[in-house]
């Protein structure tokens, strides 16, 4: 059977692309880096941008886990929704109080990242 070159190219890329778990780990790694940078940066606008991105990120995670797509158990979905809720609540407090440390947000993201990197 003859394949169009575009199909072969697509198959080549998908064969070497990252798994969902690897993609999620990259997202959390980037989130940790951005939160750490914002925590030491005196620029309030940079902190606000990172916190806004943080809120959107956790909002997407919460939305994805409210739907049963068959990829995660109900307990895992509940855990992610609880983490998203905690992270967003603290994120709102950090937006309202610029003196509030970002360490709890960094720790939540690092814990999720550690879980993503250790589970095969």
């Amino acid at each position: 059977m003859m394949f169009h070159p575009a199909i072969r190219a697509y198959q080549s890329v998908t064969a070497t692309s990252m798994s969902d778990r690897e993609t999620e780990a990259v997202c959390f790694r980037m989130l940790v880096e951005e939160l750490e940078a914002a925590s030491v940066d005196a620029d309030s606008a940079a902190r606000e941008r990172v916190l806004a991105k943080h809120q959107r990120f956790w909002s997407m995670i919460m939305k994805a886990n409210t739907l049963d797509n068959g990829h995660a158990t109900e307990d895992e979905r509940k855990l992610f929704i609880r983490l998203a809720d905690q992270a967003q609540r603290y994120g709102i407090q950090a937006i309202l109080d610029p003196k509030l440390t970002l360490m709890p947000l960094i720790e939540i993201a690092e814990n999720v990242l550690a879980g993503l990197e250790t589970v095969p």
Side-chain angles (χ1 to χ4, degrees):
M1 176 186 278
M2 188 112 158
F3 286 109
H4 189 277
I7 292 175
R8 280 197 302 271
Y10 175 77
Q11 289 172 336
S12 172
V13 169
T14 57
T16 60
S17 64
M18 292 188 291
S19 69
D20 290 344
R21 185 172 292 280
E22 290 169 328
T23 304
E24 291 167 352
V26 168
C27 291
F28 275 99
R29 196 172 299 113
M30 290 171 52
L31 179 62
V32 167
E33 290 171 3
E34 290 185 22
L35 286 168
E36 286 176 339
S39 72
V40 296
D41 193 350
D43 182 15
S44 63
R47 176 185 164 107
E48 290 172 10
R49 277 191 307 275
V50 170
L51 287 170
K53 187 184 290 187
H54 170 271
Q55 295 299 95
R56 286 190 309 272
F57 180 70
W58 279 108
S59 179
M60 288 186 298
I61 290 172
M62 185 178 283
K63 182 178 180 180
N65 282 283
T66 58
L67 306 172
D68 185 4
N69 60 10
H71 295 295
T73 67
E74 185 175 343
D75 288 341
E76 290 171 336
R77 290 178 31 237
K78 285 180 181 179
L79 173 63
F80 265 103
I81 290 170
R82 191 170 52 249
L83 283 172
D85 180 57
Q86 291 172 351
Q88 287 184 304
R89 285 175 187 258
Y90 190 88
I92 291 168
Q93 291 175 354
I95 290 168
L96 296 174
D97 183 357
K99 295 180 186 106
L100 203 59
T101 179
L102 299 182
M103 219 39 228
L105 300 178
I106 294 168
E107 289 173 358
I108 290 171
E110 286 176 334
N111 288 336
V112 173
L113 176 60
L116 289 169
E117 292 179 333
T118 57
V119 176

